[in-house]
Amino acid sequence: MTGEEGRPHDRVAEVAEAAGRALGSLPPREDPPHRASRRPARRVTTDPDTVERDLMKLVLTVVELLRQLMERQALHRVDAGDLTAEQEERLGATLMILHDRMTELCARYDLSMSDLNLDLGPLGTLLPPSSE
């Protein structure tokens, strides 16, 4: 590569811009209820008997966040007309399969999809409210 192409700083800026666009496509948050009525944030327990489940919960939370971001980006591309009908069909099928796998993994570890929505305290929850 020659010139300014491929510089790490440029790549970081490009990723930051993409993340900003993805987060900008999220629906606006509703005002959180009064702090006094909020329940305390759930903590990951460190009980040796639940370590595997808690680790899986964390991993699935990250995967679900990425899945939702990919889904929003896909909808944006569909709305913009960037995809052919075949690409739209393939993308939709892939996202549905990924959602099904997420549901299966949650069931295997006795988790619900709502368990993956971590409470970030004053920031609210990690994921937008579920439509399910």
Side-chain angles (χ1 to χ4, degrees), residues 98-108 111 113 132:
L98 180 55
H99 184 270
D100 291 344
R101 295 299 183 269
M102 287 293 297
T103 303
E104 290 171 12
L105 285 169
C106 283
R108 179 186 292 175
L111 296 167
M113 293 299 277
E132 296 177 36

Side-chain angles (χ1 to χ4, degrees), residues 73-83 88:
Q73 184 64 28
L75 289 173
H76 175 72
R77 290 187 67 194
V78 168
D79 290 343
D82 291 347
L83 303 173
E88 287 179 21

Side-chain angles (χ1 to χ4, degrees), residues 50-101:
T50 63
V51 146
E52 181 180 9
R53 181 178 182 270
D54 292 338
L55 180 59
M56 186 52 79
K57 180 179 176 180
L58 180 60
V59 169
L60 289 175
T61 298
V62 171
V63 171
E64 178 62 11
L65 175 64
L66 293 173
R67 186 194 69 78
Q68 288 186 16
L69 290 172
M70 287 181 352
E71 189 174 274
R72 283 184 184 80
Q73 184 64 28
L75 289 173
H76 175 72
R77 290 187 67 194
V78 168
D79 290 343
D82 291 347
L83 303 173
T84 65
E86 180 183 323
Q87 289 172 325
E88 287 179 21
E89 185 69 30
R90 194 173 46 208
L91 186 58
T94 301
L95 289 171
M96 286 180 5
I97 290 169
L98 180 55
H99 184 270
D100 291 344
R101 295 299 183 269

Side-chain angles (χ1 to χ4, degrees), residues 4 17 26 31 38 47 50 61 66 93 112 116 128:
E4 299 292 315
E17 182 181 334
L26 294 174
D31 290 334
R38 285 186 64 134
D47 181 4
T50 63
T61 298
L66 293 173
S112 69
L116 305 181

Side-chain angles (χ1 to χ4, degrees), residues 40-51:
R42 294 181 299 187
R43 304 277 184 210
V44 175
T45 60
T46 56
D47 181 4
D49 297 332
T50 63
V51 146

